[in-house]
Amino acid sequence: MDNINLEIPDLLRRHFPFLRESSLQKEIALVGAIHHFKEGEILMNFGSYIKSVPLLVKGAIKVVREDDVDGKELLLYFLHAGQTCSMSFSCCMMNKKSDIRTTVEDDATLIAIPIKYVDEWMGKYSSWKNFVMQSYDSRMREMVRTIDSIAFRKMDERLLEYLYQKSKVHQSKILFATHQEIADDLNASREAISRLLKKLENSNRVRLERNKIHIL
Amino acid sequence: MDNINLEIPDLLRRHFPFLRESSLQKEIALVGAIHHFKEGEILMNFGSYIKSVPLLVKGAIKVVREDDVDGKELLLYFLHAGQTCSMSFSCCMMNKKSDIRTTVEDDATLIAIPIKYVDEWMGKYSSWKNFVMQSYDSRMREMVRTIDSIAFRKMDERLLEYLYQKSKVHQSKILFATHQEIADDLNASREAISRLLKKLENSNRVRLERNKIHIL
DNA sequence: GAAGTTCTGTGATGCAAATCACAATGTAAA
DNA sequence: TTTACATTGTGATTTGCATCACAGAACTTC
């Protein structure tokens, strides 16, 4: 009778198979809203409060940290379909401001859940509780990987890893990005990235074009 | 009648005031075990499975990441009384191996909770659920701060911040550490740290002795 | 107190990457 | 088509640390 969204159970079945309790699915269908976003849109910016938590069903989201002092950036990780932003969890549950910025990396579809339910369902549905814990866990691990990368790896390795990740995110061997954008994500200088890319091209690992990188 | 630990309710009251549900306190007193550890002891090492989660009631714990490749280290953060290791949460709930090493930074007393209860209580006690979520949240924030520090700050700033943190942890203006130990925590070379400390001494920010640093 | 060990201080050199400075090239706008 | 702008390429210089190489100081052990 209510404004149940009939698409949602199907989306959940396909992308969040662990959330299988049917009463939970019904609740999500009742209160969740499907949204579409285009590449480049900003979902959440620094210092903003969050009012809903996104279940990503299509596309990819980029999570970035920005330095308070001189505005330099650093990519933290990408989110894929079937994942959610645990940062949002903590932000909304503690009602704190966001530390990070999330933008759409690849045209995205998501189910937005108003924050009040995130907490409510934790006690009510064990699959939801597990899902939330699982998200925290994987995000934590991503953060540790990011730390490894900036603390222990040199730029050439980091760049390769980045290209590899980005290729997975877009499911394509052709990446559309300028050297400057890559440099921003890696918190490096554009010149350094240009030179390293040129080296990769010389060793036949990539082919470079304006705004485009072919991974070989 | 059972082996209830009578010290525990009092410890909880003093250090974990948010865990105030009396039935939860009773359960903790029933299944929790008090342990004491001396400075320098290793609580958890890389690759080990965790069988219990620690509620820290006294002292401090250091959480360190080690590089898989060449064994270099990096301090992630310190835990203080009233906190717990959310890494343990995720590790034990997902039954995964540990990514990190935790050692005792300052003689510690903790209540060890067998992991099975961590999950069980999440659905049963809202104060416990909130505590767990809160822990995840603050650990997440610590990680972001760590990332900020290594990505955006130079060694001199990082060193100052480190000395400041360590002074808080030990509640003392006199730190006992060798330059090598500091270098390890910051993933730097001993010589670099020696030189930066000497600079700080010349500008009257610290006074140096063998194995000892006075913060002025 | 002599000998060995662990720390600390400091120079010299090397290297990855930032920064500065332009030229060249490709693309969109007028 | 010419102009304007964004992107890429590349040299020169600087900087922040790592690394190497010792020497001296301060503790420990015998």
Side-chain angles (χ1 to χ4, degrees), chain A residues 15 18 116 168:
Chain A
H15 299 289
F18 296 112
K116 56 178 282 205
K168 260 208 312 203

Side-chain angles (χ1 to χ4, degrees), chain B residues 6 17 70 86 100 120 157 193 201 209:
Chain B
L6 294 168
D70 42 10
S86 7
I100 52 165
E120 193 183 313
E157 271 187 271
I193 298 302
E201 186 171 48
E209 273 177 71

Side-chain angles (χ1 to χ4, degrees), chain A residues 11 34-37 55-60 106-111:
Chain A
L11 288 174
I34 297 180
H35 292 290
H36 301 274
F37 295 95
L55 304 184
L56 191 57
V57 294
K58 203 185 126 260
D106 200 35
D107 292 3
T109 305
L110 54 84
I111 306 173

Side-chain angles (χ1 to χ4, degrees), chain A residues 29-45:
Chain A
L30 259 170
V31 303
I34 297 180
H35 292 290
H36 301 274
F37 295 95
K38 286 275 158 206
E39 194 168 321
E41 285 189 73
I42 295 179
L43 290 184
M44 181 171 82
N45 217 329

Side-chain angles (χ1 to χ4, degrees), chain B residues 166-167 170-177 207 209 211-216:
Chain B
K166 192 138 172 150
S167 157
H170 290 121
Q171 315 216 47
S172 158
K173 295 260 174 207
I174 304 176
L175 308 180
F176 296 86
R207 207 178 74 241
E209 273 177 71
N211 298 322
K212 212 184 282 183
I213 299 172
H214 301 252
I215 299 187
L216 307 177

Side-chain angles (χ1 to χ4, degrees), chain A residues 3 9 28 30 32 39 51 62 70 73 91 93 95 99 105 108 125 131 136 163 167 173-174 200 206-207 210 216:
Chain A
N3 51 341
I28 297 178
L30 259 170
E39 194 168 321
K51 5 89 229 108
K62 181 164 112 174
D70 42 10
E73 291 186 13
C91 284
M93 312 256 307
N95 199 37
D99 276 345
E105 173 74 17
Y125 302 107
F131 171 67
Y136 266 115
L163 295 175
S167 159
K173 296 260 176 209
I174 303 175
L200 287 178
V206 302
R207 207 177 75 240
R210 191 188 168 96
L216 307 178

